[in-house]
């Protein structure tokens, strides 16, 4: 399987106009050069290429933080050469990580006494956090099955089809069956009733999503907990819940404090959250918190002493930078509860501005919910002539990066556009985006359709397709069009 592709099959060298002041010879593109070049030339060559990247502030596809205060940037740069894993050499950094774990655990209402230490760890993101939580569930389930003399070779996890790809990775990498609750048109999150029906004696946990990637909606963890508790009582099982709060973990406590989704629910045994999303830190930091020590099997924790002292470690990787941990601690003490609430309220208000602007065009259906992650997911009311993929492509001319995608099974005939509202997305930008979307719609109206109109409709026959069939045809056609275009365009990086 090819994991990377060349930029060009013919151009094997890198040329830079301005770097020629320092070096005249072009550099090989895919092999290490034989000779050194001046630092100015190396900087200029790389800087020139990076100019072609998109603007992170206008990347509305991403949940990841793209702006932090200059003071935090300074702290991060000062710690860029510190290896997070060297706990004995950098004890203060380790202490800051422990403080973050305890702050977040209490934010999630972990049942801790005042002097009790929380159980958790910093990770490179929610993907690693989910792997660790999943391993803890699997090992605990296996240990129990072994003690009972029962088979322990067919573990499964119950999730919705809307889960992020990291859950599929966990299932495949660690040999756990992934049982997905299918979606339906108009209901794009996991149905707790259907989820509990799929639970069996081999289910190591049910994974609920607090902030779906598809439309930002919070799943009903409280209902899931109640239904699962009832089933556990009937069957004698003790199937637990993990909450994937990658996006919503730093939103719900501030915008919806009365919402019960966290450790207030007895079956919730672990929670992951992305510090680099609404934790307001640059990419590279996540957290996983366990309810108590009993929920993290001791045999998964390794102890090393070759860095100077006994150090417990429970991570998939080893070395990593300290900057993001320090940045997370900065944000927690800099903003406090009041500051985070202000940021989240502002993001929500800007999402409502964008939603109202899109509704006023009369051209879109809003797929996202008002309560959830501050984003707006929307689809065209009529995409027979032009579809959401064309809107996304044409918005790039204005600098906007807005993703278009199809929903998972069984709602794959629905195509949506999604705009994630981050801290650095202002009301002015929201209003500007609506104006640019309106321009794109007017331009598309004047263009011929890229979608082939079925002959039955052209001839006015009675075999006219339903709206769903038409949407499916549009999606299939556009996917084929984009694939062929990528295949024929060798000047693009894939």
């Amino acid at each position: 399987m090819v994991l990377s592709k060349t930029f060009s099959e013919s151009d094997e060298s890198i040329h830079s106009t301005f770097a020629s002041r320092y070096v005249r010879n072009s550099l090989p593109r895919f092999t290490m050069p034989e000779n050194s070049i001046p630092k100015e030339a190396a900087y200029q060559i790389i800087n020139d290429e990076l100019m072609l990247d998109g603007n992170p502030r206008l990347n509305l596809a991403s949940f990841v933080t793209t702006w932090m205060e200059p003071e935090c940037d300074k702290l991060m740069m000062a710690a860029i050469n510190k290896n997070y894993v060297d706990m004995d050499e950098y004890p203060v950094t380790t202490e800051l990580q422990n403080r973050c774990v305890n702050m977040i655990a209490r934010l999630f209402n972990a049942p801790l006494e005042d002097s009790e230490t929380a159980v958790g760890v910093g990770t490179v993101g929610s993907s690693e956090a989910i792997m660790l939580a999943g391993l803890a569930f699997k090992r605990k389930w296996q240990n129990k099955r072994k003690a009972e003399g029962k088979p322990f070779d067919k573990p499964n996890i119950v999730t919705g089809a809307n889960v992020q790809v990291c859950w599929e990775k966990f299932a495949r990498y660690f040999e756990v069956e992934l049982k997905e609750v299918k979606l339906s048109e108009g209901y794009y999150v996991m149905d707790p009733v259907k989820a509990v029906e799929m639970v069996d004696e081999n289910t190591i946990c049910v994974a609920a999503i607090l902030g779906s990637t598809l439309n930002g909606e919070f799943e009903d963890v409280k209902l899931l907990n109640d239904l699962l508790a009832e089933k556990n009582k009937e069957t004698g099982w003790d199937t637990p819940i993990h909450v994937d709060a990658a996006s919503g973990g730093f939103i719900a406590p501030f915008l919806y404090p009365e919402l019960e989704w966290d450790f207030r629910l007895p079956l919730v045994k672990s929670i992951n959250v992305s510090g680099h999303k609404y934790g307001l830190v640059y990419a590279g930091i996540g957290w996983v918190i366990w309810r108590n020590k009993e929920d993290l099997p001791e045999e998964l924790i390794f102890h090393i002493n070759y860095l100077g002292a006994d150090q417990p470690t429970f991570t998939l990787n080893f070395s990593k930078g300290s900057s993001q941990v320090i940045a997370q601690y900065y944000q927690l003490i800099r903003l406090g509860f009041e500051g985070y609430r202000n940021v989240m309220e502002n993001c929500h208000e800007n999402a409502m501005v964008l939603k109202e602007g899109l509704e006023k065009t009369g051209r879109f259906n809003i797929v996202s919910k008002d309560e959830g992650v501050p984003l707006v997911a929307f689809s065209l009311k009529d995409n027979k002539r032009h579809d959401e993929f064309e809107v996304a492509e044409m918005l790039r001319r204005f600098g906007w990066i807005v993703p278009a995608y199809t929903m998972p099974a069984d709602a794959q005939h629905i195509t949506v556009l999604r705009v994630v509202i981050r801290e650095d997305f202002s009301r002015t930008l929201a209003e500007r985006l609506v104006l640019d979307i309106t321009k794109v719609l007017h331009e598309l109206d004047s263009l011929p359709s890229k979608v082939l109109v079925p002959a039955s409709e052209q001839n006015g026959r009675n075999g006219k397709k339903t709206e769903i069939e038409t949407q499916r045809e549009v999606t299939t056609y556009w996917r084929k069009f984009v694939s062929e275009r990528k295949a024929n365009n060798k000047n693009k990086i894939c």
Side-chain angles (χ1 to χ4, degrees):
M1 180 176 65
V2 178
L3 296 178
S4 63
K5 296 183 180 180
T6 61
F7 180 83
S8 170
E9 292 183 355
S10 58
D11 188 0
E12 297 180 352
S13 300
I14 301 173
H15 306 272
S16 176
T17 300
F18 302 110
S20 63
R21 295 187 177 202
Y22 308 102
V23 57
R24 292 300 304 275
N25 296 328
S26 60
L27 298 176
R29 190 180 296 273
F30 304 115
T31 59
M32 184 182 294
E34 290 293 330
N35 301 314
S36 302
I37 61 174
K39 60 182 183 295
E40 296 88 353
Y43 171 83
Q44 191 67 58
I45 289 170
I46 298 172
N47 185 67
D48 288 353
E49 288 205 72
L50 290 175
M51 288 170 59
L52 299 177
D53 267 346
N55 184 340
R57 294 280 299 277
L58 300 182
N59 179 10
L60 306 183
S62 177
F63 292 82
V64 176
T65 297
T66 52
W67 178 86
M68 296 183 71
E69 292 175 327
E71 290 76 11
C72 192
D73 290 346
K74 292 178 183 178
L75 286 172
M76 295 182 73
M77 289 305 300
I80 201 168
N81 59 350
K82 290 183 180 180
N83 189 354
Y84 165 82
V85 79
D86 292 342
M87 300 179 185
D88 195 50
E89 287 78 0
Y90 307 120
V92 176
T93 299
T94 301
E95 169 64 17
L96 297 186
Q97 187 242 201
N98 294 338
R99 292 179 191 176
C100 289
V101 167
N102 281 272
M103 288 182 185
I104 295 170
R106 286 173 169 80
L107 185 67
F108 295 166
N109 294 291
L112 301 171
E113 300 295 335
D114 291 340
S115 59
E116 191 175 356
T117 301
V119 181
V121 67
T123 63
V124 294
S126 275
S127 291
E128 183 189 6
I130 285 168
M131 303 285 175
L132 298 178
L135 284 171
F137 282 119
K138 181 181 179 183
R139 183 57 59 88
K140 190 171 183 180
W141 174 82
Q142 287 177 326
N143 290 343
K144 182 182 178 183
R145 299 283 290 182
K146 289 178 184 178
E148 295 173 346
K150 297 178 179 178
F152 53 90
D153 59 335
K154 295 182 179 180
N156 68 67
I157 285 181
V158 176
T159 70
N162 56 313
V163 292
Q164 214 262 2
V165 69
C166 59
W167 284 99
E168 298 177 39
K169 289 181 179 180
F170 169 77
R172 189 176 302 177
Y173 295 166
F174 296 103
E175 298 180 324
V176 176
E177 180 189 1
L178 191 66
K179 300 171 71 173
E180 293 185 336
V181 179
K182 303 302 182 184
L183 309 184
S184 60
E185 185 171 351
Y187 196 87
Y188 303 116
V189 293
M190 180 179 69
D191 184 338
V193 176
K194 294 180 181 178
V196 173
E197 289 175 354
M198 296 176 71
V199 170
D200 58 34
E201 62 179 350
N202 293 321
T203 303
I204 63 176
C205 77
V206 180
I209 312 298
L210 194 78
S212 172
T213 301
L214 301 176
N215 68 344
E217 187 175 351
F218 291 167
E219 293 181 347
D220 193 340
V221 188
K222 175 67 164 62
L223 178 58
L224 176 64
N225 178 88
D226 295 345
L227 294 174
L228 191 56
E230 184 177 339
K231 184 162 188 174
N232 285 343
K233 185 177 180 180
E234 293 173 354
T235 60
W237 305 333
D238 56 355
T239 307
I241 296 172
H242 175 86
V243 179
D244 180 357
S247 298
F250 276 110
I251 295 171
F254 307 107
L255 292 185
Y256 315 106
E258 302 303 320
L259 181 67
E260 294 184 53
W261 63 273
D262 52 19
F263 292 119
R264 285 171 288 183
L265 303 175
L267 291 183
V268 174
K269 303 300 182 181
S270 56
I271 301 172
N272 69 276
V273 65
S274 292
H276 58 223
K277 292 181 181 176
Y278 288 93
L280 307 181
V281 178
Y282 291 139
I285 185 68
W287 305 93
V288 57
I289 311 294
W290 284 272
R291 187 181 193 87
N292 53 49
K293 292 180 180 179
E294 289 72 29
D295 295 311
L296 176 57
E298 178 64 30
E299 63 262 37
L300 293 179
I301 302 173
F302 292 84
H303 294 266
I304 61 170
N305 62 8
Y306 51 78
L307 292 176
D310 179 70
Q311 298 175 10
T313 174
F314 180 41
T315 56
L316 293 182
N317 65 303
F318 195 63
S319 295
K320 71 174 181 178
S322 299
S323 297
Q324 271 71 14
V325 171
I326 294 170
Q328 184 72 83
Y329 183 67
Y330 171 91
Q331 294 289 46
L332 291 172
I333 66 169
R334 160 76 176 92
L335 294 173
F337 196 93
E338 175 192 29
Y340 269 96
R341 183 179 61 220
N342 290 339
V343 170
M344 301 311 152
E345 287 178 348
N346 188 58
C347 289
H348 181 266
E349 290 169 3
N350 288 335
M352 294 303 100
V353 169
L354 177 60
K355 173 192 170 187
E356 292 167 5
L358 293 172
E359 287 177 329
K360 287 180 181 178
T361 67
R363 303 286 293 273
F364 296 104
N365 291 316
I366 304 300
V367 178
S368 52
K369 306 293 184 181
D370 291 350
E371 182 176 297
V373 178
L375 62 80
V376 182
F378 52 103
S379 60
L380 287 166
K381 291 182 178 179
D382 182 3
N383 60 5
K384 292 183 176 65
R385 295 185 68 251
H386 298 284
D387 60 21
E388 291 81 359
F389 293 100
E390 292 177 80
V391 174
E393 183 181 19
M394 294 187 70
L395 280 173
R396 283 181 173 265
R397 289 168 33 194
F398 297 91
W400 303 106
I401 302 174
V402 178
Y405 52 89
T406 55
M407 290 291 192
D410 287 330
Q412 60 266 38
H413 59 282
I414 304 297
T415 307
V416 300
L417 295 149
R418 188 194 66 209
V419 174
V420 178
I421 310 299
R422 301 187 301 270
E423 181 185 11
D424 55 357
F425 187 81
S426 65
R427 177 168 182 160
T428 301
L429 287 177
E431 294 170 345
R432 183 69 202 184
L433 177 58
V434 173
L435 290 175
D436 290 342
I437 289 175
T438 303
K439 291 178 183 177
V440 166
L441 293 175
H442 289 327
E443 185 170 350
L444 285 174
D445 288 341
S446 66
L447 296 176
S449 174
K450 285 187 178 181
V451 180
L452 296 178
V453 180
S456 60
E457 293 188 22
Q458 291 178 346
N459 300 330
R461 298 174 185 172
N462 294 329
K464 186 174 182 180
K465 295 187 177 182
T466 65
E467 183 177 350
I468 290 178
E469 289 174 331
T470 303
Q471 287 179 345
R472 286 176 176 166
E473 184 175 282
V474 167
T475 301
T476 302
Y477 175 85
W478 188 250
R479 278 179 172 172
K480 181 180 179 182
F481 174 80
V482 172
S483 298
E484 291 176 351
R485 183 169 179 177
K486 285 183 177 180
N488 294 330
N489 190 350
K490 296 180 180 180
N491 293 323
K492 295 288 185 181
I493 296 177
C494 298

